[in-house]
Amino acid sequence: MTPIQTIAVGFDGSPDAQAAARCALELANQLGADLVFVHATGLLEHIDEPQAVLDLEETVWVLTSETGFDPGRARWHVDNGDPCSVLLRAGEPPISADLVVVGSRGQGNHVGLPLGSTSHELAEHTTIPIVIVPNGETGNR
Amino acid sequence: MLIVSGPVGGSEHHRAGHPEGPTRIRAVMAGIDDLHLGTDLQTVHGSPAERQQLTRVHSASYLDELTAFCEAGGGDIDPDTYATEDSWLAARSAAGAGLAAIDALRQHNDGVAFVAARPPGHHALRDRAMGFCLLNNIAVAAAALVSEGERVLIVDWDVHHGNGTQEIFWDDPNVLYVSTHQWPLFPGSGKAREIGGPHSRGHTVNVPLPPGATGDIVRRAIDEVAFPVIDSFAPTWVLVSAGFDAHRADPMADLALSSGDFADLARAVAGFAPRPGRLVMFLEGGYDLVALQASVTATLGALLGTSYEAEDTTSGGIGAEMVSQAKAERADALGRADLVLPPGGLL
Ligand SMILES: [Zn+2]
């Protein structure tokens, strides 16, 4: 396995994504890897961007400073698409991630149903290793 | 003669506050009413598409997942895309409406058909829903035609790239997929170098356009980049992913077309059909209801040669260089036999 130099973490602001971001920050710290926060801009976001995206970016930097992660090794990446397609592209330039971290449910509503779960779809199609982080609130259900 | 297949999705599939809702179908039907077609209008009501018609383009596992998801009451599939308890039936009905339009055209051997159905389809992938789309309606119709030996041209003038349709027919030599779309924009695919798979090289044509591009630029993309490919492909049927969200009033994107531009595009695309009775338009996007209604009137009025009101065509916007660049990138990609891209255009 190639050394983990760059970690990508999907971030949509949800509690699941925040749990994933904390885990990714911890992992990046331990492995000495760079971290890329990846946000997918969907159809609906075109209507209320750019404020929504700016707010998310702000949250990311707050999380980063809370964990004491070197902000010089973190970056914020916004790409057009649905979360699954955008994260599937994370292994390619410009992100070139060696590992993807996602929350277990994202926006989906149904625990146990594959549809509506970005993590499930990703796990099915990914070509690079993926870490799925359970959120304390929902992971034990 | 205009054959309208539908309306489908007038109430069956909805979510309060979501822009892809039943009011869109009402606007479309009002746009058709504005043509006052009388006996020149025929309405057909198809039945929901059958599983074997859907499995031509969708994986069986995805169809099972979608069925189960709707049976469980539905919910969010991704941040854009929802399903309700009734969405499975609505989506199958929308796909079936396309098939019914083809049957009706065959029967009459004349006229054009418009599929007034939602949810839309062109973002739906073989095994995934996305971008408001559950089942790929136009792909289901094209695959049915291909199974009967037809050669199908799909022109997709929706402002977004039809990544689902591209993926499904990526390596199918019997389908030519042509898309003009704003770029960069959702879903992120649709670069000019995405030209099709090894068995269908060149049979995917993408012309990405910058925000602000006007109708004349879209026409240039069709005339200069797509036309030579369409001409040598010689389609026996022409299907159009007629989204109207490239209209300048649409909140979902930033192209600058008018209703008159859609009329102009429609006339150009109709010229690619081998004879009358071989052109089907499918509703995709279009979220400003006034622009949607006016654009439907203009598009169908132009196709029928009837009198209609439309805004003037637009010109002078940016994007001419991007058309030339697309032509060059395409030529370069065609010249590189080693270039293998994934079907969704993920690179
Ligand atoms: Zn669209």
Side-chain angles (χ1 to χ4, degrees), chain B residues 266-286:
Chain B
R267 269 188 294 264
V269 168
F272 303 144
R275 59 189 171 87
R278 291 293 177 268
L279 175 66
V280 189
M281 322 285 291
F282 290 73
L283 177 67
E284 299 282 2

Side-chain angles (χ1 to χ4, degrees), chain B residues 293-309:
Chain B
Q293 178 174 341
S295 300
V296 166
T297 305
T299 301
L300 298 177
L303 289 174
L304 296 168
T306 176
S307 72
Y308 61 95
E309 271 184 45

Side-chain angles (χ1 to χ4, degrees), chain A residues 43, chain B residues 122-123 158-160 243 245 284-287:
Chain A
L43 282 168
Chain B
H122 73 152
H123 296 306
D158 187 279
V159 79
H160 303 98
D245 41 10
E284 299 282 2
Y287 305 94

Side-chain angles (χ1 to χ4, degrees), chain B residues 75-109:
Chain B
D76 291 331
I77 294 177
D78 66 26
D80 293 322
T81 315
Y82 67 91
T84 66
E85 205 174 354
D86 300 321
S87 296
W88 171 239
L89 179 60
R92 281 171 58 223
S93 300
L99 299 169
I102 290 169
D103 286 346
L105 279 182
R106 279 207 168 116
Q107 235 170 50
H108 290 278
N109 225 351

